[in-house]
Amino acid sequence: MIGSLRGTVIHRHDTEVVVEVSGVGYRISCTPTTAAKLGATTGESLVWVHHHRREDAELLFGFTELEDRDIFETLVGTHGVGPSLALGILSVHSPAGLRTAVATEDVAALCLVPGVGRKTAARLLVELSSRLDLAHIDLTEPTDQ
């Protein structure tokens, strides 16, 4: 299973980058923020990767921070959340913002994610409250969403 790639970004699109490693280009789906960060680098880049296997495809999802990949994997492990929705959530919320939304039971914050309605947001809050580490959340500090 692929956990990370170190190479040169040879192509960048809104939600995809191609990282060339030893002459092989890997197509990696990512958030627009990640694509922008990786596209702005020159030379070698490190991409943390979640290798997702399905019956009909093998997909790579990339992140500039290890914490982002860990949150993505937590989201994908949640009932009813696939890679597309998990990437959508991380496109709207940073890991800290997501933890704060879950800790404060902020349904409206999760409804900001395209395709997530009130019922889905409420279910996600319940499921993620037991999956995310919320013990060290400082609710007095503002977080970026």
Side-chain angles (χ1 to χ4, degrees):
M1 188 149 315
I2 300 170
S4 69
L5 293 171
R6 183 180 302 274
T8 306
V9 176
I10 60 171
H11 177 73
R12 177 178 63 89
H13 191 264
D14 292 340
T15 58
E16 181 180 279
V17 295
V18 177
V19 176
E20 187 175 81
V21 180
S22 299
V24 178
Y26 294 89
R27 290 178 63 183
I28 303 169
S29 297
C30 56
T31 66
T33 303
T34 299
K37 284 181 185 176
L38 290 172
T41 60
T42 57
E44 198 171 73
S45 295
L46 173 67
V47 182
W48 295 101
V49 173
H50 170 79
H51 185 178
H52 189 79
R53 291 183 175 182
R54 292 191 325 212
E55 191 174 292
D56 61 338
E58 291 195 33
L59 307 169
L60 300 178
F61 295 89
F63 309 92
T64 55
E65 302 295 328
L66 184 57
E67 180 185 26
D68 292 348
R69 184 187 73 181
D70 292 344
I71 291 288
F72 177 85
E73 290 175 344
T74 299
L75 288 166
V76 170
T78 303
H79 176 72
V81 178
S84 295
L85 180 55
L87 214 53
I89 291 170
L90 289 176
S91 293
V92 174
H93 297 290
S94 67
L98 179 61
R99 283 188 180 97
T100 300
V102 172
T104 59
E105 299 180 0
D106 189 353
V107 172
L110 287 179
C111 288
L112 293 173
V113 177
V116 175
R118 292 193 70 74
K119 285 183 180 180
T120 301
R123 181 183 55 76
L124 284 173
L125 287 175
V126 170
E127 292 194 30
L128 290 174
S129 65
S130 64
R131 291 178 162 269
L132 294 176
D133 179 18
L134 304 175
H136 304 292
I137 300 291
D138 183 2
L139 299 177
T140 60
E141 276 189 38
T143 59
D144 59 341
Q145 298 264 343

